[in-house]
Amino acid sequence: MRTNSTMTAGMEPETTSKVRAVPAPTVLPHIEAPQRVAPADARELSKLFLARLESVEEGTPEYQYVRNTLIEMNLSLVRYVARRFSSRRESMEDVLQVGTIGLIKAIDRYDPSRDVEFTTLAVPYIQGEIKRFFRDTTWSVRVPRRLQELRIDLARAREQLEGEGGHEPSVAELADHLDMPESEVAEGLVACNGYDSDSIDRPIQAGGGGKQQTGLVADLIGAEDPALGLAEDIQALKPHLARLDDRDRTLLRLRFGAEMTQAEIGEELGLSQMHVSRLLTRACTTLREGLLAEG
């Protein structure tokens, strides 16, 4: 084994006991800068430190030294796995921190007696933590996990079907390919819209070169039209108006259609202003109660 310049030898001869599968030295090398240990040396030293970690009492200074040294020596493994996700837009520092959590879990759960390479256990743990981080933080809108996983299946299915047919696959084609109901596929496609978001102040580019700005995304967002609400109210009122008698409908037409005052309506129909007021109040109350009953 190559010896790193940062290590000082202090190991006793290995034990010849047949009980332990991995030798456990009583004195470990003192490593001043674990992160500078070459990967090949780190793999060999990790075997000694992992074996020692099994025999020392948790919470003691020696336990902390062995465990912390193992973490620092194997940070290169975290960086190696994290490079596979370098194309993501998330901060690489965050990815490394999450990957380190996976490394720590692998160290705590490693069993030297199984005679399995530490990297065989550590890499899946590191990858799992990083993928879980992306799953939980990259979606702009929080959706159920099953829909997050369905998005990946839909992306793969769409890519495969486009390669075979050369056109955008329909919901029915995706459902047939994935062997699932069309309603579930449609729900997944809607959920995909929540994966990424964009600023409403982003300029809209036009033209082949995409250099001509034609406006902002916000310009494409519609505004609430009060006239639509009025149209809905009128349609809802129609059946209730039809139930009123002719005199009440005439009163409402003159008051709200012709915008006549109550006094003018009284002169028109030969009624007192007070009587007109009572009739209008009763008619409006009847209409209001009918609308509320529907709601």
Side-chain angles (χ1 to χ4, degrees):
M1 182 184 70
R2 292 179 296 167
T3 303
N4 191 280
S5 60
T6 60
M7 297 184 294
T8 58
M11 295 175 53
E12 294 183 357
E14 296 181 354
T15 178
T16 57
S17 173
K18 297 181 180 180
V19 177
R20 298 185 62 87
V22 180
T26 56
V27 180
L28 291 174
H30 177 70
I31 305 177
E32 297 180 355
Q35 293 192 42
R36 293 185 180 180
V37 177
D41 290 338
R43 284 194 296 271
E44 296 300 321
L45 287 168
S46 292
K47 296 177 182 178
L48 301 177
F49 277 76
L50 286 165
R52 184 59 177 166
L53 194 66
E54 287 288 299
S55 61
V56 296
E57 184 179 353
E58 186 175 352
T60 62
E62 183 181 5
Y63 181 89
Q64 294 300 324
Y65 165 71
V66 174
R67 187 170 182 266
N68 292 341
T69 303
L70 277 169
I71 294 171
E72 293 187 52
M73 277 197 306
N74 288 280
L75 286 177
S76 59
L77 191 60
V78 177
R79 291 190 289 270
Y80 167 75
V81 176
R83 279 198 296 269
R84 305 179 184 179
F85 303 90
S86 59
S87 60
R88 301 293 189 106
R89 63 183 182 182
E90 282 70 23
S91 168
M92 184 54 62
E93 181 179 352
D94 293 339
V95 176
L96 290 173
Q97 289 180 357
V98 173
T100 303
I101 295 175
L103 172 64
I104 295 172
K105 289 182 178 180
I107 291 173
D108 291 341
R109 299 174 186 178
Y110 181 74
D111 184 0
S113 65
R114 295 188 176 182
D115 197 23
V116 177
E117 285 290 335
F118 173 66
T119 54
T120 303
L121 175 71
V123 170
Y125 268 91
I126 296 170
Q127 286 181 339
E129 288 297 322
I130 293 176
K131 289 180 179 179
R132 189 176 298 109
F133 166 73
F134 286 131
R135 185 195 67 199
D136 295 339
T137 61
T138 55
W139 283 74
S140 298
V141 178
R142 183 63 176 168
V143 301
R145 182 180 300 180
R146 66 177 181 84
L147 294 179
Q148 294 180 10
E149 296 172 351
L150 180 57
R151 171 186 171 273
I152 300 175
D153 295 336
L154 286 172
R156 292 173 179 169
R158 180 184 287 110
E159 182 179 356
Q160 183 175 349
L161 291 174
E162 286 179 349
E164 295 175 355
H167 66 279
E168 178 74 16
S170 64
V171 173
E173 290 173 331
L174 289 170
D176 182 65
H177 182 81
L178 296 173
D179 191 22
M180 61 175 54
E182 292 187 21
S183 59
E184 189 172 345
V185 172
E187 184 182 11
L189 293 174
V190 172
C192 289
N193 296 327
Y195 180 74
D196 199 5
S197 61
D198 204 351
S199 172
I200 61 174
D201 295 324
R202 178 179 63 82
I204 300 174
Q205 307 293 342
K211 296 182 179 180
Q212 180 182 356
Q213 181 174 334
T214 59
L216 302 176
V217 174
D219 299 334
L220 303 178
I221 301 176
E224 183 178 354
D225 188 352
L228 292 178
L230 178 61
E232 291 178 357
D233 292 340
I234 291 175
Q235 293 301 317
L237 273 173
K238 280 186 176 180
H240 299 286
L241 286 169
R243 297 191 186 102
L244 297 177
D245 56 33
D246 293 339
R247 184 179 62 177
D248 285 344
R249 286 198 297 270
T250 301
L251 286 170
L252 293 172
R253 177 175 56 80
L254 295 176
R255 178 67 185 94
F256 300 105
E259 297 184 352
M260 296 173 59
T261 65
Q262 293 180 1
E264 292 172 340
I265 295 174
E267 293 179 1
E268 177 77 15
L269 300 180
L271 302 173
S272 66
Q273 185 268 333
M274 184 66 68
H275 194 188
V276 170
S277 177
R278 286 197 299 267
L279 292 174
L280 285 173
T281 300
R282 186 185 64 183
C284 291
T285 300
T286 301
L287 295 175
R288 185 180 301 109
E289 290 174 351
L291 290 175
L292 292 175
E294 289 183 351

